[in-house]
Amino acid sequence: MKAHRQLTVVIKLGSSSIVDEITHQPILSVLTLIVETAVKLHQNGHRVVIVSSGAIAVGLRRMNIEKKPKVLARVQALAAVGQCRLISLWDSLFAHLLQPVAQILLTRNDIADRTQYLNAQNTFAELFSMGVIPIVNENDTLAVSEIKFGDNDTLSAITAAMVQADYLFLMTDVDCLYDKNPRTNPDAQPIEVVDDISSLVADVSSSGSNLGTGGMSTKIVAARLATSAGVTTVITRSSKPGNIVEIVDHVQASKQAVSLASSFSTDPTDTPPLSSSASSLQPEAAPKPPLHTRFLPDPHPIRDRSFWLLHGLAAHGTIFIDDGAHRALVSKAGLLPVGIVKVEGTFSQQEAVRIVVLHGVRQNTTTAARPNGFPASTRTVTAEHDSEAGGIIAEPVEVGRALVNYSSVEIARIKGLQSTEIQSVLGYADSEYVALRENISLEKVSRPVTPGRDT
């Protein structure tokens, strides 16, 4: 039956889901079921994207090599060989059902430029309008550590945000998340719905296969990214791809039931139709779906430019700010040099940096003369301490990302100063702001960080 509303569904498949870990042979039974599921979703009026790993694994099989080599150039060469075979395999399977597909290979560099990011969005939109299913993979032939997404779980989350997907399915070798390792703990309980990832307590001991780069922990990171963009994220078993359709139908039916019940409760003059009982308006009345873990989307998602700033760009350094600067950013003001406490890393103008708040820091204003004779306000940074705890009140917390108007060297010279002093220190003043508010995106839930590491 045709869907009431067109949905966009992203399906992520890891290498171990579609390629045998030992023989490196494609698992045709799973691939065929994935193809049938994707085509069924498409025929029901939905838009489908597949994020498929497996290029290196297929390359190992094609070249009759047993183990993944450690030399980067050889790995990238195998990826080039394997990607041809992988997309050919997908194309031939979809061709049996007369479904056209397209190949999209990405690195972080491809979306670091805002224009290219928008071009990628436009390409996806045009493929959808043509009835094509895009198959996405990281461009392992070109990618190095500086421009890699890290794993295809992250790539799938960014892709889901880029196409404003309704669902992201992270297919793995277990049915769902458990509070303990189910392989060693018979009493492990499934975690079926997660509405707050920050409070999630789950077993993440799975570290991924020898072929892949991800594990359960990377899927939770991907779920955090996707749900922040308003995408319902699901972890379920890859060997049962037919579960995808059942889960989508169940969630949509539950939403409709809740919406219908809400419409009756808001207007006391309305009464349910005679054919509807009270229990039929409750989501529990629907048949129980296949076992899975569903991460609920943020009701106020971060989209478009804000998401791109936060997750589309690789940070080249860190700017540490005080509480006052953070309050100004939350109030939609730009970042002024007076609120900057410290700079870490080397970066240039218009590059992305992390913004980290040093809570409990205060700046003592003193007056000193610069070597060039200009008097100026300089600030000595001190930290307020908790006398009982004997330590700093709070640890550094990453709160967002920004594109900066000045380089790391320039910011180090003007940090703590008033904007009117930039000209006298640098000899020029490109902007009174270190970063314009339109070039700053704040996390909805800030998190502790280790300064200098890209979390």
Side-chain angles (χ1 to χ4, degrees):
M1 183 174 66
K2 291 287 183 180
H4 292 291
R5 183 172 75 87
Q6 186 179 54
L7 304 173
T8 301
V9 180
V10 178
I11 303 171
K12 184 269 172 182
L13 299 159
S15 297
S16 60
S17 296
I18 60 176
V19 179
D20 187 274
E21 190 173 351
I22 298 174
T23 66
H24 302 152
Q25 291 180 338
I27 307 175
L28 294 177
S29 57
V30 173
L31 289 168
T32 301
L33 289 173
I34 288 289
V35 168
E36 291 177 349
T37 299
V39 171
K40 184 175 181 179
L41 286 167
H42 187 265
Q43 290 174 343
N44 286 347
H46 303 313
R47 296 170 294 196
V48 181
V49 178
I50 293 177
V51 178
S52 172
S53 303
I56 295 173
V58 173
L60 289 170
R61 172 68 177 172
R62 180 70 179 88
M63 301 306 296
N64 198 27
I65 297 174
E66 290 187 4
K67 294 183 179 180
K68 183 178 176 179
K70 296 181 179 180
V71 179
L72 176 61
R74 182 170 284 267
V75 172
Q76 292 179 317
L78 286 171
V81 172
Q83 186 61 36
C84 291
R85 304 282 291 183
L86 181 64
I87 197 64
S88 175
L89 181 59
W90 280 120
D91 186 54
S92 62
L93 290 174
F94 274 105
H96 288 297
L97 299 179
L98 304 179
Q99 174 60 52
V101 297
Q103 175 178 249
I104 297 181
L105 300 177
L106 295 173
T107 65
R108 199 174 278 279
N109 263 8
D110 296 321
I111 62 173
D113 180 81
R114 180 63 178 165
T115 301
Q116 289 183 223
Y117 183 86
L118 294 174
N119 285 343
Q121 282 187 316
N122 293 336
T123 298
F124 277 111
E126 191 62 29
L127 288 172
F128 291 147
S129 69
M130 295 168 62
V132 176
I133 294 179
I135 299 178
V136 180
N137 195 4
E138 184 159 19
N139 193 344
D140 292 316
T141 301
L142 299 178
V144 292
S145 58
E146 290 81 3
I147 60 174
K148 286 180 72 68
F149 290 98
D151 56 81
N152 272 7
D153 292 321
T154 300
L155 172 60
S156 67
I158 292 177
T159 300
M162 185 184 298
V163 300
Q164 297 187 1
D166 297 279
Y167 292 91
L168 167 62
F169 283 86
L170 301 172
M171 312 300 286
T172 185
D173 59 353
V174 294
D175 291 304
C176 61
L177 285 178
Y178 290 86
D179 58 352
K180 303 174 186 176
N181 189 332
R183 296 185 179 93
T184 57
N185 297 275
D187 61 338
Q189 296 297 314
I191 301 173
E192 297 185 8
V193 178
V194 178
D195 58 3
D196 182 9
I197 297 181
S198 61
S199 63
L200 176 66
V201 178
D203 173 70
V204 293
S205 56
S206 173
S207 59
S209 69
N210 294 330
L211 296 176
T213 57
M216 197 57 72
S217 60
T218 64
K219 288 172 177 55
I220 293 176
V221 171
R224 184 188 298 274
L225 295 182
T227 53
S228 72
V231 182
T232 299
T233 304
V234 177
I235 292 176
T236 191
R237 187 177 288 274
S238 59
S239 60
K240 300 177 180 179
N243 290 352
I244 294 174
V245 176
E246 294 184 48
I247 293 169
V248 170
D249 287 345
H250 169 79
V251 176
Q252 292 302 115
S254 298
K255 288 180 179 179
Q256 290 174 4
V258 170
S259 176
L260 183 61
S262 176
S263 67
F264 289 128
S265 63
T266 54
D267 189 346
T269 62
D270 284 339
T271 55
L274 294 176
S275 60
S276 298
S277 64
S279 61
S280 69
L281 297 178
Q282 301 301 322
E284 291 84 359
K288 193 170 180 63
L291 196 58
H292 67 282
T293 295
R294 184 167 75 256
F295 298 84
L296 302 184
D298 192 310
H300 306 288
I302 302 171
R303 294 193 188 275
D304 301 327
R305 184 176 175 82
S306 293
F307 186 90
W308 171 73
L309 285 169
L310 275 175
H311 306 298
L313 302 176
H316 294 270
T318 305
I319 291 178
F320 297 85
I321 63 175
D322 60 24
D323 288 308
H326 182 219
R327 286 192 296 270
L329 296 183
V330 172
S331 300
K332 305 298 184 183
L335 178 58
L336 295 169
V338 69
I340 297 176
V341 175
K342 178 183 172 185
V343 182
E344 192 173 80
T346 302
F347 50 86
S348 303
Q349 294 180 12
Q350 295 305 309
E351 286 192 328
V353 300
R354 305 173 198 86
I355 301 176
V356 174
V357 178
L358 294 175
H359 291 296
V361 168
R362 67 176 186 270
Q363 302 197 61
N364 300 326
T365 304
T366 60
T367 302
R370 297 198 193 91
N372 59 13
F374 289 97
S377 296
T378 60
R379 288 166 173 77
T380 303
V381 178
T382 60
E384 294 178 357
H385 283 64
D386 186 333
S387 57
E388 294 183 2
I392 296 177
I393 292 174
E395 60 185 319
V397 174
E398 182 177 337
V399 296
R401 298 283 175 99
L403 289 177
V404 290
N405 294 327
Y406 295 96
S407 68
S408 54
V409 174
E410 292 167 326
I411 296 173
R413 294 179 63 190
I414 63 175
K415 63 182 175 65
L417 303 182
Q418 299 293 332
S419 297
T420 54
E421 299 176 283
I422 296 176
Q423 175 76 38
S424 59
V425 174
L426 300 181
Y428 51 88
D430 292 340
S431 173
E432 64 178 311
Y433 293 101
V434 170
L436 300 172
R437 188 59 183 87
E438 65 192 46
N439 289 331
I440 299 172
S441 185
L442 299 181
E443 299 269 8
K444 301 203 75 171
V445 179
S446 43
R447 58 186 188 275
V449 297
T450 302
R453 290 188 60 192
D454 188 354
T455 57

